[in-house]
DNA sequence: CTCAAGCATAAGCGCCGCTTATGCCCGGAG
DNA sequence: CTCCGGGCATAAGCGGCGCTTATGCTTGAG
């Protein structure tokens, strides 16, 4: 029944003291104000402006509207400013979820870039394995998930469901076979899975274990998994102690630089991709876009030149 | 840039959790909401709603708008309610100015009626002679002026300027000639001004004095004004003491019921009208309209059936 | 008396924004 | 696996809101 435009007009009249003045202040013509007031008056059922001679004065009801206008317009301006701050990265929030081993270097580096570039964007970070992080993404509890996916597998079972999501490839992580330094096959340049069919295996996280099973299956055996732990430091400790062999991503190895452990490249090679995942909508949220940019930058990947999040109302 | 309708939509989406639900809540169709959100998004330059699958969720920016919506819409409702209260006479104010002798009975009676009928309308009452009250009316400091005007004078000098004002005749007040009970002409049924040309005169307020001068001028003499006072009680006291004669409105005489004073009807008769004066605009203010109605009722005059102040937006 | 200033009114119309109709996509059930 | 229902997006259409230009009227000042 009564809208912001009406209040704006009433306030302008109160300030300017005339329809013409209000029109100039608002960038309208005088008849527009005249009609606007009339509309307001018949909508509210009350006379708002007293015309006497060639001057106008607000009636009591008019004063009421002009008074309320101050608060309403201020609140509207505040809302606009807050939105504009989010759009301009002077505010906003991005909720990031990354799997544990990515927290080692990639994510901290990216978050440092983001924080440096947009200090007023608040960052929420949670560690989570891909299944959970993607679920959170779908549930609306997360804006960007740093996940990984094993590539080249013709068995689709361990691939995450990425439908309706948008991914950015951050890193290609080669999976190596970690063996104790004294292992008989440690001096070979490469490792063929079939050669390790009788070893005892140490499995990582559930998905990594799936990957192990898949690779071994391809090589024609079912691995004897003697140990399971999600902590790669523990995995490497077990390998060093000669308790088994394990598939370990190169990124982990580079970060941990384990001694007395040899990491053999697999033949054929197996990689996993490290991805930044979000939804098409969230990607257009400025803070999310900036976060993905920072992740790409930290990974040394060209920043996706997604079209500007949105044209900010061309003047 | 952002208006109340937009906020209302965002809030409805937040509450309903879906576009369809919001549309039903607001009485729109679903595409209307869909387009509204899109408009808002391109206006603000930020994505406000995250569409995932067949559910929608507000983004951070969307939440901001929905949050601000509460306050803004509440303020708008408050303004509407306040206006509606004024229109419905559950609030409002009327500023009345009346000349002193009208305060004796007419105005108190009218204000009692008004207060009884609309207890929540606040009344401001100021005593003022017609020139001041009408000036206040023109200046916007008064809503209703109770004034008087002498009628039948062909000299326009004492008539008030009533252009651009609207008047309601309340009472016809006959002007009588007050003489001491023992006066030689006191036993005549009527008085002719010319017979009192050699009397000493007692004049009332400046305008009444003007009226006296006018009547005397018509009768062919200039009155010898020996006393001047604005207080009619004093006037009557002076008359009773035999210090002079005076023109006194019948209303005063009826209220004062002075003893030892004879009030002779003039021949030809002279009357003054007691009027309720306002402006065409103010007359449509509900409280003002009610006040004038109460004045007419108190005066025993049919209440002016002015068209309803305004059609309150026919549903 | 004339002129400038200011509001009201009329006519015109551009465009905003709602509706109807339809398509597409997702998710659940048989 | 396929069907179906629910929900959002899109297209087309158009009614009407609300602004502009043009003009008249009233007022107050010189």
């Amino acid at each position: 029944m009564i809208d912001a435009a009406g209040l704006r007009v009433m306030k302008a009249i109160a300030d300017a003291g005339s329809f013409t003045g209000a029109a100039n202040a608002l960038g309208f013509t005088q008849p527009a104000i005249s009609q606007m007031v009339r509309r307001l008056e018949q909508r509210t059922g009350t006379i708002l402006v007293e015309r006497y001679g060639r001057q106008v004065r607000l009636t009591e009801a008019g004063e009421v509207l002009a008074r309320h206008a101050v608060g309403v317009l201020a609140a509207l301006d505040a809302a606009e400013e807050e939105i504009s701050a989010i759009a301009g990265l002077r505010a906003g929030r991005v909720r990031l979820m990354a799997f544990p081993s990515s927290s080692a270097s990639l994510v901290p580096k990216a978050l440092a870039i983001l924080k440096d570039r947009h200090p007023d964007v608040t960052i929420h970070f949670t560690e989570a394995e891909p299944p959970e992080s993607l679920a959170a993404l779908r549930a609306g509890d997360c804006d960007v998930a740093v996940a990984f996916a094993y590539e080249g597998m013709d068995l689709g079972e361990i691939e995450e469901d990425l439908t309706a999501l948008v991914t950015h490839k951050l890193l290609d992580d080669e999976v190596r076979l970690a063996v104790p330094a004294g292992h008989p096959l440690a001096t070979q340049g490469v490792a063929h899975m079939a050669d390790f069919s009788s070893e005892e295996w140490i499995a990582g996280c559930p998905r990594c274990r799936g990957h192990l099973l898949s690779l071994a299956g391809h090589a024609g055996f079912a691995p004897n998994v003697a140990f399971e732990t999600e902590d790669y430091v523990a995995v490497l400790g077990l390998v060093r102690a000669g308790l088994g062999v394990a598939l370990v991503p190169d990124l982990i190895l580079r970060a941990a630089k384990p001694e007395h452990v040899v990491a053999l490249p697999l033949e054929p090679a197996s990689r996993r991709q490290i991805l930044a995942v979000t939804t098409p909508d969230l990607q257009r949220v400025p803070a999310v876009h900036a976060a993905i940019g920072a992740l790409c930058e930290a990974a040394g990947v060209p920043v996706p030149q997604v079209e500007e999040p949105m044209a900010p109302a061309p003047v």
Side-chain angles (χ1 to χ4, degrees), chain A residues 48 112 205 301:
Chain A
L48 300 175
C205 68
V301 165

Side-chain angles (χ1 to χ4, degrees), chain A residues 42-130:
Chain A
Q42 49 200 30
R43 275 202 256 248
T44 58
T46 318
I47 191 167
L48 300 175
V49 175
E50 183 190 356
R51 289 87 161 166
Y52 184 76
R54 71 181 179 194
Q55 60 181 324
V56 294
R57 283 188 295 259
L58 297 190
T59 64
E60 186 192 8
E63 296 281 4
V64 164
L65 284 193
R67 178 156 37 83
H68 278 90
V70 180
V72 170
L73 295 179
L76 277 182
D77 281 350
E80 253 179 60
E81 163 54 25
E82 202 163 335
I83 295 292
S84 158
I86 292 176
L89 287 166
R90 303 192 311 280
R93 171 202 63 180
V94 57
R95 296 162 301 175
L96 181 71
M97 281 186 157
F99 59 91
S101 61
S102 74
S103 319
S105 74
L106 175 67
V107 165
K109 198 166 162 188
L111 293 190
I113 292 173
L114 181 61
K115 195 80 191 169
D116 176 63
R117 198 160 299 162
H118 306 297
D120 300 324
V121 171
T122 70
I123 302 167
H124 292 198
F125 174 68
T126 308
E127 219 172 55
E129 293 289 340

Side-chain angles (χ1 to χ4, degrees), chain A residues 149-159 172-173 175 211 214-215 218 268-273:
Chain A
Y150 290 100
E151 68 178 9
M153 294 287 89
D154 43 16
L155 317 115
E157 50 185 345
I158 61 170
E159 283 292 342
D172 246 345
D173 198 5
V175 178
H211 180 235
S214 167
L215 282 187
H218 263 254
S270 175
R271 305 180 181 285
R272 67 173 191 178
Q273 283 187 359

